[in-house]
Amino acid sequence: MNNLLLSVGLGVLAAVVTFIVLDRFFPAQAGEAVDGDVPGGNSAQLDQLRRENRWAQEILERMAEGVLVLDESAKPLSTNSAGRDLMGFHEDMLPARLPSGEVLELAEKALAEGVSREALASVWFPARMSLWARAAPLQDGSGVVVVLQDVTNEIGIQRARREFVAHASHELKSPVAALRTLAEAIRRAVHEDPDMAEHFSTRLTAEAERLGRLIEDLLDLTKLEEAATPPDQRIDLSEVAQSEADRFETPASAAGTSFERHIHPGVWIMGDEGQLGTMIRNLLENAFHYTPREGRVTIEVSERGGNALVEVGDTGIGIPLEAQSRVFERFYRVDRGRSRDSGGTGLGLAIAKHVIELHGGHIQVESELGQGSTFTARIPSAAPEQGTVRSLAG
Ligand code: ADP
C-alpha cells in the first residue's frame, strides 16, 4: 500500500508542481488569461503553459486519491475533487485550516523537517474513515503536498481477520483443555475405576472429534475466502442434494424423525459440487440437531424464476427473532451449551452463507420459537440448454 501510494505520489508530484505554480501565477483560469498577463511571455509559450495547466488539472481531478496543496503555514491552497470529498470541503471554498488534526499534524511535521512523512489518520468528518496520508514538502519550503488514500475497507478487513484469529484461538482452546483434563482423568482412573476410565475415554473421543470438526470447518472457511473466481462447473444441484440427503436417512429413522424429500430432478446451476454438498449437509445437520425426536425435517429443491431454490425446513426448537440475523455470523450460537453438546462448531451457517454468496446467491431464514425453522437458499440457475442436455442424457 505504501509503495503504491509512493509511486502515485511521485507520479503526480510533477503535475502538482506545475499546477501549483500555474495556480499561483494564474489564479484566474490560465485558459482565460490574455497574452499581456505574463511579462515578456510570447503567445506560443503561453499556449504551451495553458495546455500543461489543463493537463495537470485533469489528471488531478480524475485521481481517486485526494491531493491537497498547503502553503508554508499549512493553510489549504488548492485540492482536487477527491481531496474535497475526503476532507469534506465545500465546493470551491477552502477552509483556513485542515479539519483533520492528524493530517494537519503530519503536514506541519513534513514542513518543519523538510522531509516526507506518512501515517494512517482516522477522520470523523465528513464520515468515519481511515486515510493513508503522505505529506511531501516542496523543495523551496513554500508549501506541502498531501496525498490521501481512503483505506477504510482494507483496515476493516484487517480488523475482521484479527478478530477472527482471536476468536478461533479461543474456540480451539476449550476442546484442547478438555482433552488434557480427560487424559489426566483416564490416567488416574485406569487402575482403580476402569468403568470411569471407559466413560472418560468416550468423552475424550467426542472432544477429539469436535476438535477435528472445528479444524475442518476453519480450513473450509479459509479455502472459501481464498477462492478468487466464482465456481464454474455445470452442476445438477438435485443430484448433490439427493446424495447428501441419503446420508441422513439412517440416523433420521434411528432418531424417529421423519425426513421428507421433495427434490425436483435436473435443477442446474454453475458451481462447485464439493462446496454445494457442504452447504446442504450443514443445513440438514442443523435441522436434525435442533429438532427433537418425532419431529419432521424436509428438504426441497426446485427451480423458480431463474433461480435454484434449496429449502431445508424443520419442526424444531426455532430461533428467536433477535438472533435470526446473527446466526450466519462466525461462532454465533443462540445456545452455546446446546450447540457444544451436539458437537456444533458455530461455523456451519457461516460456511453455508459463504458458499451461497460465492455462487451469486443468498440465504434467508424464517423461524418461530418452538415451531421450527426454514432456511431458503437461492442461487441463479444455469442457462436452460446446459441443464437440458445433461438431463436428457441422464
Ligand atoms: P452450530 O455448529 O452451533 O450449529 P451453525 O453456524 O450451524 O453452528 O448455527 C449457528 C446457530 O444457529 C446454532 O448454534 C443454533 O443456535 C442456530 N441454528 C442453526 N440452525 C438451526 C435450526 N435449524 N434450528 C434452530 N436453531 C438453529
Side-chain angles (χ1 to χ4, degrees):
M1 182 172 66
N2 296 4
N3 288 344
L4 174 75
L5 202 76
L6 189 68
S7 56
V8 170
L10 289 175
V12 296
L13 207 56
V16 171
V17 171
T18 315
F19 172 66
I20 303 161
V21 171
L22 290 171
D23 203 53
R24 279 196 158 186
F25 287 105
F26 307 101
Q29 294 282 305
E32 290 159 14
V34 289
D35 289 3
D37 284 356
V38 182
N42 65 41
S43 132
Q45 278 172 329
L46 193 58
D47 281 349
Q48 177 68 10
L49 284 173
R50 283 177 185 148
R51 260 197 307 279
E52 284 175 6
N53 186 29
R54 274 199 300 272
W55 181 72
Q57 289 202 18
E58 190 163 347
I59 290 178
L60 283 162
E61 283 307 305
R62 283 167 188 256
M63 279 175 64
E65 289 77 14
V67 179
L68 310 171
V69 183
L70 314 180
D71 71 6
E72 60 277 7
S73 59
K75 179 177 177 288
L77 284 182
S78 49
T79 175
N80 64 353
S81 73
R84 261 192 305 277
D85 292 347
L86 292 172
M87 288 284 101
F89 294 160
H90 206 269
E91 196 72 20
D92 296 334
M93 263 207 351
L94 292 175
R97 205 182 128 85
L98 278 181
S100 160
E102 287 179 54
V103 178
L104 178 62
E105 201 181 308
L106 188 80
E108 285 172 343
K109 231 184 217 167
L111 272 168
E113 295 168 6
V115 288
S116 296
R117 291 264 157 212
E118 52 189 29
L120 187 67
S122 302
V123 301
W124 302 86
F125 176 82
R128 200 175 160 174
M129 284 182 285
S130 299
L131 300 180
W132 187 257
R134 182 172 191 271
L138 299 176
Q139 265 185 357
D140 63 359
S142 65
V144 57
V145 179
V146 180
V147 181
L148 300 171
Q149 191 181 9
D150 183 358
V151 291
T152 315
N153 282 344
E154 289 83 343
I155 296 287
I157 291 167
Q158 281 172 14
R159 187 177 307 124
R161 288 227 166 99
R162 274 198 306 276
E163 280 170 12
F164 177 60
V165 170
H167 217 141
S169 323
H170 180 75
E171 292 282 337
L172 286 164
K173 263 187 201 159
S174 80
V176 169
L179 288 180
R180 205 175 284 135
T181 311
L182 287 165
E184 179 59 22
I186 293 171
R187 194 180 65 77
R188 284 203 200 131
V190 75
H191 296 302
E192 289 143 31
D193 191 349
D195 285 349
M196 216 46 197
E198 174 80 29
H199 166 74
F200 289 145
S201 155
T202 311
R203 281 187 50 199
L204 187 133
T205 308
E207 281 297 336
E209 278 169 3
R210 196 162 80 83
L211 183 62
R213 263 196 306 276
L214 186 54
I215 292 168
E216 264 171 42
D217 280 359
L218 286 170
L219 290 174
D220 277 353
L221 209 53
T222 312
K223 261 192 254 157
L224 286 170
E225 282 187 341
E226 279 170 3
T229 49
D232 59 356
Q233 298 287 306
R234 288 162 210 179
I235 304 289
D236 185 348
L237 192 60
S238 315
E239 273 179 24
V240 179
Q242 290 289 13
S243 86
E244 288 303 328
D246 285 346
R247 296 168 181 251
F248 290 87
E249 282 297 344
T250 314
S253 63
T257 307
S258 87
F259 184 26
E260 290 175 14
R261 311 178 183 199
H262 307 283
I263 300 175
H264 295 242
V267 174
W268 291 86
I269 60 169
M270 302 302 285
D272 177 295
E273 193 171 336
Q275 290 178 8
L276 292 163
T278 304
M279 179 270 288
I280 293 174
R281 191 157 61 246
N282 288 356
L283 294 179
L284 283 173
E285 264 172 9
N286 281 346
F288 282 102
H289 273 146
Y290 299 104
T291 301
R293 287 166 169 270
E294 265 93 65
R296 191 177 70 243
V297 170
T298 54
I299 176 165
E300 193 170 328
V301 177
S302 58
E303 193 170 353
R304 232 173 292 159
N307 283 311
L309 252 64
V310 179
E311 289 166 275
V312 175
D314 63 62
T315 56
I317 61 171
I319 302 167
L321 191 63
E322 66 278 9
Q324 287 175 18
S325 59
R326 300 203 57 197
V327 288
F328 299 102
E329 290 173 17
R330 296 152 177 189
F331 300 120
Y332 180 83
R333 291 124 161 161
V334 177
D335 178 344
R336 199 155 273 270
R338 183 174 185 135
S339 158
R340 196 157 277 164
D341 290 347
S342 63
T345 61
L347 291 175
L349 287 180
I351 291 174
K353 182 169 186 256
H354 224 105
V355 167
I356 292 158
E357 287 178 354
L358 260 182
H359 285 75
H362 67 274
I363 184 167
Q364 67 189 55
V365 60
E366 277 172 43
S367 185
E368 207 174 313
L369 259 189
Q371 301 296 310
S373 312
T374 302
F375 287 83
T376 307
R378 276 186 182 73
I379 300 175
S381 308
E385 70 277 12
Q386 293 167 336
T388 317
V389 172
R390 183 65 197 272
S391 288
L392 290 173

